[in-house]
Amino acid sequence: LCLQALRKQRYPKALYEVLIIVNEEQIRELAFSLARNEKLLWQPEHHSYAARNLGIQAARGSIIALTDSDTVPDSRWIEAGVTEILRGADLVAGHIDLSFQRIPLTPSGSYEKYFGFDQAWNAKRGRSVTANLFARKTLFEDYSLFNNTALTGEDFEWTSRVTGSGAFLVYSLDACVTHPA
């Protein structure tokens, strides 16, 4: 669903690449073919931040957009995030709508609904989750990549460190993805 949504972006396809990082120990055949602007990379280290770092290092563009494989980006996602960077932001914390598989919500689903992905609240505190984050690539060059072995929370740690050093973070309602709780 994520890849299908990325293929339907309103932003011109010639201006962005999609790097799909498979975070598994063994290479396997995938059940889909790649479009011209898509590239598949394998990261055998089983840490999501190691996968993100591989993608960041392989990216050719000057703006990095990060999301998770279980999200569904809105058709204006790239356009909205890039627009904020071009207006002067260094980082963009995009909006996250949550989808729920089960009603009533589980305790963890309730927590995520009210606290886990509130990007407007996160941005006010100088941080963002990587489920929906745009950043100038130079920030990763100037402030390092993510900690490869972190299990969780490295997105808050990294964005807090970068904004604490003066990078300008904005929240964008229009740069939206849907993420399952």
Side-chain angles (χ1 to χ4, degrees), residues 98 107-119 121-122 127 129 156:
L98 290 178
S108 60
S110 295
Y111 176 84
E112 285 190 347
K113 179 179 180 178
Y114 295 106
F115 304 108
F117 293 103
D118 188 342
Q119 289 283 76
W121 191 83
N122 289 335
R127 61 189 189 198
V129 296
F156 274 11

Side-chain angles (χ1 to χ4, degrees), residues 7 24 42 74 80 103 110 112 119 156 165:
R7 289 175 175 171
E24 298 174 353
W42 292 89
D74 180 82
I103 304 291
S110 295
E112 285 190 347
Q119 289 283 76
F156 274 11
S165 296

Side-chain angles (χ1 to χ4, degrees), residues 67-109:
T67 194
D68 295 345
S69 63
D70 59 353
T71 67
V72 179
D74 180 82
S75 64
R76 299 171 299 141
W77 179 64
I78 293 175
E79 180 180 67
V82 168
T83 296
E84 292 296 339
I85 297 283
L86 295 177
R87 286 182 182 156
D90 296 309
L91 300 145
V92 180
H95 182 75
I96 298 174
D97 278 331
L98 290 178
S99 62
F100 302 95
Q101 299 291 324
R102 184 174 157 197
I103 304 291
L105 298 178
T106 63
S108 60

Side-chain angles (χ1 to χ4, degrees), residues 6 12 15 24 32-33 36 58 60 73 86 99 105 115 125 131 140 160 166 169 175:
L6 290 171
L15 298 180
E24 298 174 353
F32 57 87
S33 57
R36 179 169 285 161
R60 295 176 294 153
L86 295 177
S99 62
L105 298 178
F115 304 108
R125 283 146 186 83
F140 294 102
S160 294
L169 170 68

Side-chain angles (χ1 to χ4, degrees), residues 142-155:
D142 295 344
Y143 298 100
S144 80
L145 296 170
F146 297 110
N147 174 347
N148 263 2
T149 60
L151 298 177
T152 187
E154 179 62 12
D155 41 11

